Amino acid sequence: MSVVPAGALPAGVLTAEEAAPARPAALGPRARLWPSLAAVYRAQLSRARVARIPLLFVATFQSVGIMILMRGVVDGGGAARAVVAGSSVLVVAFVALNLLAQYFGQLRASGGLDHYATLPVPPAAVVLGAAGAYASFTVPGTVVTAVVGCALFGLPLAHLWILVAVIPLAGAALAGLGAALGLLAPRPELATLLGQLGMSAALLLGVLPPERMPQAVRLARDLLPSTYGVEAFARTFAPHPDWAHVLGDLAVCGMVGVISLAVATRAYRRAAVR
């Protein structure tokens, strides 16, 4: 049996190697969630550090100014606890809800989601990393607001450690809501408007004492994610805090955070493929 050189074959005739179907190239391993989340978090934190510090100062100054104004109409008791707790969580709402809604709205409008879509990171890592970075900026302002509020209204400082739980849980709930608003809004101007409305709702429904609100407004207040963080923080100012209710409020806040972040992740997937 003779061997015919490949160059001697007539046109259109393929060798055995050429006729065999090409094997698909082996893909690399999928990126894991936690390393990807840490990478996105560090990138967002370093990128927004300089730009967000002035805004954090504005958020803190705004909350302290509200407490000073309320000091003239609130003497103490449960109303003072609500004002201090609501003003402290308002710093979280300003950054995690308002600014994150604007960020994702601008990112979607400018095509920045295409950049993240090309990276080998899960969609959940993008949403959680950005939300965590923005929520991290709220820690100094929230602590400063709480300390100043306790000094203004004569509240105890013994249980301020509860902010270790309140800030991440309320931040997750509000950051997930802000990211979802920014990703679902068809235009960045609408995302900015929705973020501003959400922060205004956190201001009016979170800072004002609930016992002075109409019943319909109280029901709307119960639908706001930050309400449960405010309630948990306010309960710790009592002489003998009801820790069961505190843990219950924090649990509700955590569940809302999981749901809102899941909705934001789904919205990111839809926006990234369009």
Side-chain angles (χ1 to χ4, degrees):
M1 176 173 148
S2 61
V3 178
V4 181
L9 292 175
V13 179
L14 301 178
T15 62
E17 291 78 4
E18 294 174 339
R23 296 180 180 180
L27 299 177
R30 293 185 59 185
R32 292 178 296 174
L33 175 61
W34 293 112
S36 302
L37 173 60
V40 174
Y41 174 80
R42 289 193 300 267
Q44 289 288 340
L45 198 64
S46 61
R47 179 182 180 183
R49 183 179 300 163
V50 177
R52 301 309 174 195
I53 287 179
L55 295 175
L56 178 60
F57 174 78
V58 172
T60 307
F61 183 79
Q62 171 185 264
S63 295
V64 172
I66 290 172
M67 291 191 300
I68 294 175
L69 292 175
M70 293 298 293
R71 185 65 181 86
V73 296
V74 174
D75 295 329
R81 300 168 190 168
V83 170
V84 175
S87 299
S88 301
V89 177
L90 181 61
V91 180
V92 182
F94 182 88
V95 177
L97 196 160
N98 183 25
L99 297 184
L100 200 60
Q102 296 181 30
Y103 171 73
F104 273 108
Q106 294 173 358
L107 197 67
R108 180 184 179 186
S110 63
L113 292 180
D114 297 337
H115 166 70
Y116 284 106
T118 60
L119 298 178
V121 295
V126 178
V127 175
L128 292 175
Y134 274 71
S136 297
F137 284 101
T138 67
V139 175
T142 304
V143 174
V144 170
T145 303
V147 172
V148 173
C150 291
L152 281 174
F153 292 93
L155 298 177
L157 298 169
H159 299 301
L160 287 187
W161 54 264
I162 197 66
L163 290 175
V164 175
V166 171
I167 292 176
L169 293 178
L174 293 172
L177 179 60
L181 292 176
L183 291 167
L184 294 175
R187 300 183 62 183
E189 296 82 4
L190 185 57
T192 300
L193 175 61
L194 293 175
Q196 292 283 351
L197 291 176
M199 191 198 68
S200 299
L203 168 61
L204 297 175
L205 302 180
V207 175
L208 297 179
E211 59 270 11
R212 302 186 182 184
M213 297 180 181
Q215 184 62 30
V217 179
R218 292 186 187 180
L219 294 176
R221 182 176 181 269
D222 293 337
L223 299 177
L224 193 66
S226 60
T227 298
Y228 302 96
V230 173
E231 290 290 334
F233 187 25
R235 293 182 193 275
T236 62
F237 291 127
H240 303 285
D242 188 347
W243 294 109
H245 280 84
V246 172
L247 292 176
D249 289 331
L250 292 176
V252 173
C253 196
M255 287 188 293
V256 174
V258 171
I259 295 173
S260 63
L261 288 172
V263 172
T265 301
R266 186 176 181 86
Y268 168 79
R269 289 173 177 169
R270 290 182 57 186
V273 299
R274 288 182 178 179

